[in-house]
Amino acid sequence: MSNLSGKHIILGISGGIAAYKSVTLLRLLVKAGAEVQVVITPNGKEFITPVTLSSLSGKPVVSEFFTANTGEWHSHVDLGLWADAMIIAPATASTLAKMANGVADNMLITTYLSAKAPVFVAPAMDLDMMAHPSTTRNLRTLQADGVTVIEPEVGELASHLVGRGRMEEPEKIAAVLDTFFASGQQLKGKKMLVTAGPTYERIDPVRFIGNFSTGKMGYAIAAEAARRGADVTLVSGPTALADPAGVTTVRVESARSMMQECESRFGDTDIAIMSAAVADYAPKIFIDHKIKREHDNVESIELVKNPDIAATLGSKKRPGQILAGFALETDNARANALEKLRRKNLDMIVLNSLADVGAGFGTDTNKVTLISATDEVEFPLKSKAAVAADIIDYISSKL
Ligand code: C5P
């Protein structure tokens, strides 16, 4: 039986020539036993008629916010909650841009913004539009938001030019969804604790010691684990990121507060992944007013060591609990990672080297090696969402 059987899928269709292939995709999904709700943009209807789509899906196609003659309101919120997955195929440059920026001017985008389920996009456009920095930027933003991009193929395009921008074939898109549901819920019933972001160590009311971590990697891990059914708590230092969908997010500021939140939860945790860039030191005293150059004459700040959260949890780890850490290294990367694995009593460590372009802080991509006591797997440069999936796959294989 197909993994799609009984699944609720929103098929979003935006206005591109490739919309004709969405009919085949719809047929494949329905044939595999999925319940499919089509949401089409006003432009999409120029390419394919709602009559075809509703007869194949067995449901009225949603396009406008209201049904014109009855005034009936279509709830994007209900749809967003109903879905187990949302696939937008074709996703035009304009739809990708609106998704990336929250421009909610049609039913497809409002549904996307309300969707609690994983979202997939299959871009389709002419090669120049595909290669434009704006499209690249929007796709990167969407990936960082947790959207899975089903890469377009190189081939003949509607313009008769040959290049990258041809929507992936419906059979392959259906296969991606099938695989997603197959591997879907292996963390169901598992309690996970993830740390992310930097910590800020206050010097005075307006200054702190911190670092350049943005939290993107840890947030991607938390989101991926939640998608796979885990009950995830994310303990996050200060970041500009939104709380990941389906995750309990606890915001902290300093290493000590992060430590408290982690220690109190660890006993009840199956898998802990420490991806925060915790400040190693904090000022010994907090000066309760803004330090003034003229009066205070502060020329040095005495520091004290912060607790090592990963090592503390490592020392309390029970058999069956899994603890993973990160190592961001500039030199002797592998040796340092192995040393941390042992010293902190971790089960695995994710090594990323600052020497690799596109890896480490702030980027949307990462290049990692996963190391445990028994093996070592090196991955190519990928989006942080894809790296999160690799990390979760690796941990799942150890369960
Ligand atoms: O020793 P180092 O800081 O390089 O170790 C990195 C790993 O240890 C990461 O997993 C990080 O989240 C964790 N760590 C921690 N508490 C600290 C320092 C690091 O949990 N105070």
Side-chain angles (χ1 to χ4, degrees), residues 195-196 255 258-259 273-281 306-313 324-329 339-340 343-344 346 349-350:
T195 65
M258 185 175 277
M259 173 79 164
I273 304 182
M274 306 281 102
S275 60
V278 184
D280 286 324
Y281 293 92
N306 269 333
D308 187 322
I309 303 168
T312 307
L313 302 188
F326 273 71
L328 180 65
E329 303 293 337
E339 188 272 327
K340 275 173 202 170
R343 178 166 47 86
K344 303 191 187 208
L346 307 174
I349 193 152
V350 182

Side-chain angles (χ1 to χ4, degrees), residues 172-188:
K172 294 237 180 93
I173 298 175
V176 169
L177 294 172
D178 185 84
T179 309
F180 162 73
F181 285 115
S183 65
Q185 298 290 299
Q186 72 269 58
L187 293 180
K188 193 134 206 119

Side-chain angles (χ1 to χ4, degrees), residues 231-306:
D231 175 359
V232 186
T233 301
L234 171 66
V235 180
S236 170
T239 73
L241 304 173
D243 294 359
V247 169
T248 306
T249 305
V250 179
R251 303 266 176 181
V252 298
E253 186 179 277
S254 66
R256 283 181 185 279
S257 51
M258 185 175 277
M259 173 79 164
Q260 273 174 10
E261 296 294 345
C262 290
E263 255 192 312
S264 67
R265 288 177 168 81
F266 187 60
D268 196 23
T269 295
D270 299 302
I271 303 164
I273 304 182
M274 306 281 102
S275 60
V278 184
D280 286 324
Y281 293 92
K284 186 169 182 187
I285 50 162
F286 169 69
I287 298 171
D288 65 2
H289 61 276
K290 184 179 172 192
I291 300 169
K292 289 266 194 323
R293 191 181 2 207
E294 310 83 56
H295 313 302
D296 288 311
N297 209 14
V298 175
E299 287 180 348
S300 63
I301 297 168
E302 199 180 340
L303 300 176
V304 288
K305 260 199 180 140
N306 269 333

Side-chain angles (χ1 to χ4, degrees), residues 1 86 120 327 347 396:
M1 202 168 82
M86 178 171 189
F120 300 75
D347 299 288
S396 304

Side-chain angles (χ1 to χ4, degrees), residues 64-75:
E64 314 296 336
F65 292 111
F66 297 94
T67 303
N69 50 355
T70 62
E72 184 199 357
W73 183 59
H74 299 138
S75 170

